[in-house]
Amino acid sequence: MGECPVHNTRTAPIGGGGTKNKDWWPEGLRLNILRQHTPVSNPLSKDFDYASAFKSLDYDAVKKDLHALMTDSQEWWPADHGHYGGLFIRMAWHSAGTYRVEDGRGGGGQGQQRFAPLNSWPDNVSLDKARRLLWPIKQKYGNKISWADLMLLTGNVALESMGFKPFGFAGGRPDTYEADEAVYWGGETTWLGNDVRYSDGKAGAPEGSHGVVDSDEHKKDHKDIHSRDLESPLGSAHMGLIYVNPEGPDGVPDPVAAARDIRTTFGRMAMNDEETVALIAGGHSFGKTHGAAPSDNVGKEPEATPMENQGLGWQNKHGSGKGPDTITSGLEVIWTKTPNKFSMNYLEYLFKYDWELEKSPAGANQWVAKNADSFIPDAYDSSKTHKPRMLTTDLSLRFDPTYEKISRDYLENPDKFADAFARAWFKLLHRDMGPRARWLGPELPSETLLWEDPIPPADHPIIDETDISNLKKEILATGLDNTKFITTAWASASTFRGSDKRGGANGARIRLAPQKDWEVNDKASLQQVLGALDNVQQKFNSSASGGKKVSLADLIVLAGVAAVEKASGLSVPFTPGRTDATQEETDEHSFEHLKPHHDGFRNYGKSTHRVNTEFFLVDKAHLLELTAPEMTVLVGGLRTLNANWDGSKHGVFTKRPGQLSNDFFVNLLDVNTAWKSVDNTGELFEGVDRKTGEKKWSATRYDLVFGSHAELRAIAEVYAQADGAEKFTKDFVTAWDKVMNLDRFDIH
Ligand code: HEB
């Protein structure tokens, strides 16, 4: 650990080794995140459908095996206090807890804890053992249960096995088979560093922190632990931690300052103060921490451990290297007197005792109950006992005034605490699964939760082919500019993010707060479209036969379909069945995280001091689950359709705007046009005729990147070729249809 990953020259001269493009041009735009998790990296057949495999799983049998595993202590990695529950809860929590609400990435939905960097994160020490303990069960049930589901279900069963009743469980998380490169985990180059995330993207850490200090000038920008701001969208205070430093911010044992970090990082996980207290107090009702001796006894992490260890990292040469000699966090704490049984002891001790700072055997800051007897049973030696102990971050629940109120309330109301913990745990495990249509298995809660972004089921017959073609005529007869139907349909569908499966056109939430007021949605034009479609809807719903109804969500997409058909002369598929959610079913605060600050498809937003405009386009394309060719064809098409958010002409390289054509690519690649930057920020460009100097076009970075970036240019050429026009319109329609249906988990 601790080796600088960017200056390692020991790479093989074969097999893709050597100095690569990302080393030569570290700031170059990369498209690699648009081609991950494709069939070529997946050993399962292309038509393997995880949902149907899971439905054939003997769920009760898996749970029975998991229950038996909990107390089946193995010699190679013995169970503390005779129970693996604590270890498995930590595994599940660290699997799900990487989720960040700002971009929806991270989380337990893909089984990524099996792969780097997560499998080797310093915060995930010993979880390699937890997963290996699970292997016989994974092996037995095969493809019917994914690792992603199994790791989380095991956490749930651990709770049950220790006397706590969880809120429910849903399966349905298909595995991935390669490390996910799309998540920004931070810019630091040392484990546990935080020199970049708190200094506005510049490397340079404060005195006494674990980060790397490489410039005095940057040091003074780095605000102290009481005022610093965590870089967006990160959810943790250090590179390689799930949340915060257990010893306190940057190792300083200050529970109040630690509370500040906890609030920020748990907030990024979509948890409020009540949920945060419930999770920490609930979680630390179980298990123990491990710091039998200094961490220099511990070998390399799984990614770097010698081959003979078969992926089991952190080989420990202290004593037996396991059981009582285990070194995980370097802290040595047992919170309660029944670590393998749920109780109120954690909160009880938190307030009952005075806490005194001490060093763990590994030298880390932790707290011991001053005036307590030694009554907590040792994990292995029945003749030994311990005093209650806590981490700095546990004391935050008492010494932060807001957390204190909540903690005392939970202590006095055990049922309320149990309910809050059960709900927060369920949310933690399921937050990135998307709508209930994806939730599988016999243990779904019957209560609808607001954070599900519920979509009501259709309570009426759905429109048929004849209705669809009549409605299209009605829509076009409103006389509104076609472009407005296209931008509205795009605005509605393109809130979807594949990371946590939120957003999309279903629910018609574009007519509700906060979406109706987002700048990119051009309120005036949106209201015009919604008004017109509302009339179409009322007319249809009051006269249709057989109680049929059309939802506004369907009409918004259908209007886009009708407009694209008119602009292209092609027929565009449409699948009805969306319904409309209400404002009460919409958590405004939570939906605000879906707000686009950039949308290159509508030419919206520009560079920040850390990110060039065109990177936002690729990032958005990734959230829309688009390939590089799909991204390309959509941008080119939307430009000729004149669909810029503000009606500007940037990138509208055509003499016939409104008609779907490959003109964007033909004109962009026209060698007779010379481009020059026309503002001093490098955001806007003008294209002039090389001979006459006459101005022909204007463009943004979103537009010109398709001519300047070699791989995007290669795709653009395909669409600009003599044989590209027809392919272009067909591909555009296919990609358009894909975006419109990204959230249709009810039908696919
Ligand atoms: Fe925890 C453990 C920290 C939250 C659950 N943790 C633990 C440890 C530490 C921690 C350091 C130790 C490790 C070892 O082994 O050594 N946490 C922490 C922090 C936080 C937390 C800092 C924030 C504040 N947890 C949490 C949560 C949960 C948990 C939220 C759930 C819910 N943990 C846990 C458990 C355990 C731990 C169960 C035990 C494990 C065993 O036993 O193995």
Side-chain angles (χ1 to χ4, degrees):
M1 301 268 235
E3 261 167 46
C4 179
V6 291
H7 299 302
N8 184 358
T9 50
R10 288 183 53 245
T11 62
I14 56 166
T19 315
K20 313 299 288 188
N21 289 345
K22 73 171 178 353
D23 307 311
W24 292 118
W25 299 280
E27 286 167 19
L29 180 69
R30 285 195 295 281
L31 306 180
N32 58 321
I33 65 171
L34 304 183
R35 44 197 177 221
Q36 302 190 107
H37 313 307
T38 68
V40 297
S41 67
N42 190 327
L44 306 181
S45 79
K46 263 190 201 157
D47 41 43
F48 172 76
D49 173 33
Y50 179 57
S52 24
F54 184 88
K55 283 177 193 152
S56 71
L57 172 72
D58 187 342
Y59 187 82
D60 294 335
V62 184
K63 280 190 69 177
K64 209 169 144 222
D65 287 351
L66 288 172
H67 272 286
L69 172 66
M70 293 294 155
T71 50
D72 185 13
S73 185
Q74 303 292 312
E75 222 267 84
W76 66 270
W77 193 257
D80 302 329
H81 297 99
H83 205 295
Y84 288 120
L87 179 64
F88 283 139
I89 290 174
R90 179 168 158 258
M91 174 188 71
W93 138 244
H94 283 204
S95 173
T98 54
Y99 173 78
R100 324 86 74 91
V101 68
E102 291 193 16
D103 64 1
R105 294 191 175 103
Q110 309 185 75
Q112 279 288 316
Q113 199 185 79
R114 295 177 292 147
F115 304 114
L118 299 176
N119 66 353
S120 293
W121 265 16
D123 218 1
N124 286 338
V125 177
S126 301
L127 296 181
D128 52 345
K129 317 299 187 301
R131 293 190 303 277
R132 203 57 63 87
L133 285 164
L134 270 182
W135 164 239
I137 293 183
K138 171 66 180 126
Q139 185 171 35
K140 177 171 169 188
Y141 295 94
N143 295 330
K144 292 179 178 172
I145 186 158
S146 63
W147 271 110
D149 276 345
L150 184 62
M151 285 192 272
L152 300 181
L153 176 61
T154 304
N156 240 44
V157 171
L159 287 173
E160 280 180 6
S161 165
M162 298 190 292
F164 185 80
K165 191 173 174 320
F167 193 69
F169 183 82
R173 304 166 186 82
D175 276 337
T176 49
Y177 290 86
E178 61 181 311
D180 188 352
E181 297 277 327
V183 194
Y184 175 72
W185 295 120
E188 293 82 9
T189 53
T190 42
W191 290 118
L192 304 180
N194 64 1
D195 52 310
V196 176
R197 67 192 61 207
Y198 289 116
S199 21
D200 217 12
K202 292 164 279 185
E207 300 288 356
S209 88
H210 298 296
V212 205
V213 182
D214 65 359
S215 141
D216 283 348
E217 192 203 324
H218 291 153
K219 239 194 311 191
K220 66 177 183 315
D221 293 351
H222 191 118
K223 288 188 252 151
D224 74 12
I225 55 175
H226 303 282
S227 62
R228 61 191 187 180
D229 297 321
L230 179 61
E231 177 184 18
S232 172
L234 294 180
S236 82
H238 292 264
M239 176 62 89
L241 289 190
I242 305 297
Y243 282 101
V244 300
N245 189 331
E247 294 182 65
D250 297 350
V252 180
D254 176 342
V256 176
R260 191 174 183 274
D261 278 2
I262 295 173
R263 188 165 283 117
T264 308
T265 56
F266 277 68
R268 296 274 167 96
M269 179 183 53
M271 297 293 173
N272 63 25
D273 285 346
E274 285 77 15
E275 291 164 328
T276 301
V277 172
L279 279 173
I280 298 170
H284 289 178
S285 298
F286 304 106
K288 73 182 286 283
T289 75
H290 303 83
S295 58
D296 56 9
N297 286 291
V298 175
K300 292 209 184 270
E301 67 277 15
E303 280 299 297
T305 198
M307 188 174 270
E308 58 272 27
N309 295 331
Q310 294 290 288
L312 292 179
W314 301 293
Q315 300 287 327
N316 171 5
K317 56 183 200 287
H318 170 69
S320 66
K322 58 188 181 182
D325 300 319
T326 301
I327 302 170
T328 296
S329 60
L331 293 144
E332 190 60 48
V333 161
I334 310 178
W335 291 280
T336 79
K337 73 171 190 284
T338 55
N340 53 21
K341 217 170 160 305
F342 183 69
S343 72
M344 292 301 292
N345 292 339
Y346 174 93
L347 286 170
E348 190 193 321
Y349 301 169
L350 182 67
F351 289 104
K352 180 170 174 184
Y353 297 112
D354 292 332
W355 299 95
E356 192 174 20
L357 189 63
E358 64 164 18
K359 296 275 182 205
S360 75
N365 287 319
Q366 58 180 33
W367 302 77
V368 60
K370 215 188 203 167
N371 32 12
D373 295 333
S374 183
F375 63 90
I376 295 202
D378 186 79
Y380 293 93
D381 182 346
S382 59
S383 71
K384 268 203 223 153
T385 55
H386 303 272
K387 287 189 172 191
R389 287 186 163 79
M390 293 264 167
L391 309 174
T392 302
T393 46
D394 293 312
L395 298 190
S396 301
L397 304 191
R398 173 169 163 185
F399 293 103
D400 175 87
T402 310
Y403 286 158
E404 184 201 355
K405 243 189 248 138
I406 300 165
S407 303
R408 284 195 193 273
D409 183 39
Y410 286 156
L411 175 60
E412 281 152 28
N413 300 286
D415 290 346
K416 187 171 176 184
F417 171 50
D419 184 58
F421 177 45
R423 285 169 183 272
W425 175 261
F426 182 78
K427 180 176 174 183
L428 171 72
L429 268 48
H430 299 80
R431 184 74 199 90
D432 64 342
M433 278 195 81
R436 199 172 267 250
R438 296 191 73 232
W439 302 10
L440 305 174
E443 294 193 288
L444 308 191
S446 53
E447 184 182 331
T448 303
L449 304 153
L450 188 58
W451 57 259
E452 284 176 41
D453 306 338
I455 309 255
D459 57 358
H460 49 74
I462 286 168
I463 51 175
D464 61 25
E465 283 305 321
T466 318
D467 301 324
I468 290 170
S469 83
N470 289 335
L471 282 164
K472 281 198 271 199
K473 287 185 203 127
E474 295 276 337
I475 290 166
L476 295 178
T478 61
L480 272 189
D481 177 3
N482 263 347
T483 296
K484 293 190 173 169
F485 291 134
I486 289 167
T487 47
T488 301
W490 178 267
S492 175
S494 68
T495 53
F496 180 81
R497 27 187 226 192
S499 52
D500 59 0
K501 317 281 191 281
R502 299 186 66 201
N506 206 353
R509 287 191 159 97
I510 189 154
R511 75 196 199 291
L512 306 174
Q515 287 182 41
K516 67 180 176 56
D517 301 312
W518 288 344
E519 180 186 56
V520 63
N521 290 345
D522 182 11
K523 203 165 174 176
S525 138
L526 175 64
Q527 289 311 327
Q528 252 186 331
V529 171
L530 292 177
L533 295 181
D534 203 48
N535 290 339
V536 174
Q537 182 190 30
Q538 285 187 22
K539 189 167 155 208
F540 180 88
N541 288 355
S542 60
S543 62
S545 59
K548 273 184 296 194
K549 287 205 168 98
V550 64
S551 65
L552 205 62
D554 267 349
L555 275 181
I556 289 166
V557 174
L558 188 59
V561 164
V564 172
E565 285 185 338
K566 203 169 159 205
S568 65
L570 294 178
S571 101
V572 178
F574 175 76
T575 315
R578 297 171 186 83
T579 62
D580 300 335
T582 64
Q583 189 71 62
E584 294 67 51
E585 287 164 329
T586 305
D587 181 340
E588 279 186 50
H589 173 72
S590 163
F591 265 92
E592 198 61 15
H593 293 297
L594 303 187
K595 175 173 164 174
H597 299 284
H598 293 83
D599 181 0
F601 297 92
R602 283 180 280 173
N603 231 331
Y604 176 69
K606 48 183 185 232
S607 305
T608 64
H609 81 284
R610 297 208 57 203
V611 184
N612 278 345
T613 310
E614 59 275 20
F615 284 70
F616 288 111
L617 175 65
V618 172
D619 199 68
K620 173 110 184 144
H622 173 261
L623 291 177
L624 288 172
E625 301 180 335
L626 299 174
T627 64
E630 287 167 343
M631 173 182 82
T632 305
V633 81
L634 281 168
V635 170
L638 285 164
R639 293 298 184 272
T640 61
L641 291 169
N642 207 15
N644 285 345
W645 75 283
D646 58 352
S648 76
K649 290 292 164 212
H650 305 317
V652 184
F653 307 148
T654 180
K655 295 264 149 29
R656 40 180 181 163
Q659 189 173 330
L660 184 68
S661 74
N662 65 342
D663 289 356
F664 174 87
F665 299 109
V666 173
N667 288 315
L668 177 67
L669 303 190
D670 180 354
V671 73
N672 295 315
T673 303
W675 291 96
K676 59 173 196 255
S677 164
V678 290
D679 61 351
N680 43 25
T681 59
E683 294 293 319
L684 277 184
F685 305 87
E686 215 171 79
V688 298
D689 188 302
R690 277 191 202 280
K691 282 202 199 104
T692 65
E694 181 203 345
K695 180 185 167 184
K696 288 160 70 180
W697 318 111
S698 73
T700 66
R701 301 184 67 85
Y702 288 129
D703 305 316
L704 290 200
V705 71
F706 290 96
S708 68
H709 186 275
E711 289 177 4
L712 290 178
R713 186 180 179 94
I715 299 169
E717 283 173 354
V718 170
Y719 291 122
Q721 286 168 184
D723 56 359
E726 197 184 323
K727 176 176 170 54
F728 165 80
T729 37
K730 265 181 56 199
D731 289 359
F732 177 87
V733 166
T734 308
W736 175 268
D737 180 53
K738 172 173 167 175
V739 171
M740 293 303 128
N741 291 297
L742 283 170
D743 63 345
R744 296 302 301 280
F745 299 108
D746 55 322
I747 53 168
H748 56 66

